Amino acid sequence: MAALSALKRFFRVVVFLSQLYVFSGRGSLSFEHFQAVAQALKEQPSSSTLLPSIDIVETTSPPDYISKCPSNGLCSKLPADCMTCNTNYSCVYGKSVAFDCKAKPQVMCVDDNHQQQENFTINMTCQFCWQLPPSEYECTKSNSSICMTVSCPRQRYNATCTVKDHVNCLGNRVFPKMLFCNWTGGYKWSTALTLSITLGGFGADRFYLGQWREGLGKLFSFGGLGIWTLIDVFLICVGYVGPADGSLYI
């Protein structure tokens, strides 16, 4: 009897736990919920109809130096920006020496037989870029108008210079350089000299050059009784007296 009573109690506990599981939403109710969700997913359109397939193509822009590099040109004539060269430690300043070079990626060049090549040799003078003659580089002139060209010693200004494309040299191809002031304000040396000879006694030459104080001094002193006039003719003739803004004669 005790065993039968214990068995009944066990079945009651099992029934109670099963009912509790069902009412908690984890039993048959959860299965119905799962069926509803599955039905909704079937009715929803597939993702392929919502989002069209997009083919992603990776494109790489060409390097900046490509625009300077001629296609299928001679490798020995390539601009310096289109190749890389190894350092030649036997380089003697001022002497011609050979350098082993290689075309940069995406640069196509050929040899004298029109055969494509990647490694080649070039000959150039052993010197740094800032030692090149002025005809082989170009400099900015934006700051040249702030210095005086007529001065002793002659003034200089800071400029940024860039080596021309087909000139090969050692070191940086863009470098600073001190250049002589060489700008002009439009004054003609011949006009100033003519005024000094003809109307110098009235200060016309000094007025023309923008030197108003000296012009008034010559005007009221009649050219320093002629002495100042003769001196100005000589100074303008040799170029010692120039425009008041410090520019050069045309």
Side-chain angles (χ1 to χ4, degrees), residues 73-114:
L74 289 176
C75 293
S76 58
K77 300 297 183 180
L78 283 177
D81 292 335
C82 304
M83 58 184 174
T84 55
C85 300
N86 297 327
T87 303
N88 191 332
Y89 294 99
S90 62
C91 178
V92 179
Y93 174 74
K95 302 294 184 180
S96 179
V97 65
F99 286 82
D100 295 329
C101 302
K102 180 180 180 181
K104 289 185 177 181
Q106 302 184 23
V107 176
M108 307 296 293
C109 63
V110 296
D111 57 10
D112 295 334
N113 298 323
H114 300 284

Side-chain angles (χ1 to χ4, degrees), residues 17-200:
L17 292 177
S18 62
Q19 292 178 351
L20 181 62
Y21 181 75
V22 171
F23 286 111
S24 64
R26 299 180 181 179
S28 60
L29 293 178
S30 62
F31 178 75
E32 295 175 359
H33 177 71
F34 173 78
Q35 289 181 336
V37 172
Q39 184 66 25
L41 291 175
K42 290 181 180 179
E43 295 177 355
Q44 185 177 2
S46 61
S47 59
S48 61
T49 58
L50 294 177
L51 298 176
S53 59
I54 301 176
D55 295 332
I56 300 177
V57 179
E58 294 183 0
T59 57
T60 57
S61 58
D64 296 336
Y65 57 80
I66 290 296
S67 59
K68 299 181 180 180
C69 306
S71 178
N72 294 325
L74 289 176
C75 293
S76 58
K77 300 297 183 180
L78 283 177
D81 292 335
C82 304
M83 58 184 174
T84 55
C85 300
N86 297 327
T87 303
N88 191 332
Y89 294 99
S90 62
C91 178
V92 179
Y93 174 74
K95 302 294 184 180
S96 179
V97 65
F99 286 82
D100 295 329
C101 302
K102 180 180 180 181
K104 289 185 177 181
Q106 302 184 23
V107 176
M108 307 296 293
C109 63
V110 296
D111 57 10
D112 295 334
N113 298 323
H114 300 284
Q115 298 295 326
Q116 184 175 349
Q117 65 176 169
E118 184 178 359
N119 299 313
F120 53 93
T121 302
I122 63 171
N123 293 318
M124 69 178 182
T125 304
C126 180
Q127 61 183 348
F128 288 98
C129 294
W130 59 269
Q131 296 172 323
L132 292 172
S135 60
E136 296 185 350
Y137 58 83
E138 297 177 349
C139 300
T140 57
K141 301 179 180 180
S142 57
N143 296 327
S144 62
S145 61
I146 64 175
C147 59
M148 303 289 288
T149 60
V150 182
S151 62
C152 187
R154 189 176 175 186
Q155 292 185 3
R156 297 173 180 259
Y157 69 97
N158 292 320
T160 302
C161 301
T162 304
V163 181
K164 295 182 179 180
D165 290 339
H166 294 280
V167 177
N168 297 310
C169 57
L170 304 176
N172 296 326
R173 299 184 62 81
V174 179
F175 54 91
K177 199 172 184 67
M178 295 288 293
L179 300 179
F180 284 112
C181 302
N182 59 353
W183 66 287
T184 178
Y187 296 94
K188 292 184 177 180
W189 173 82
S190 58
T191 302
L193 182 60
T194 301
L195 291 175
S196 182
I197 295 174
T198 57
L199 300 174

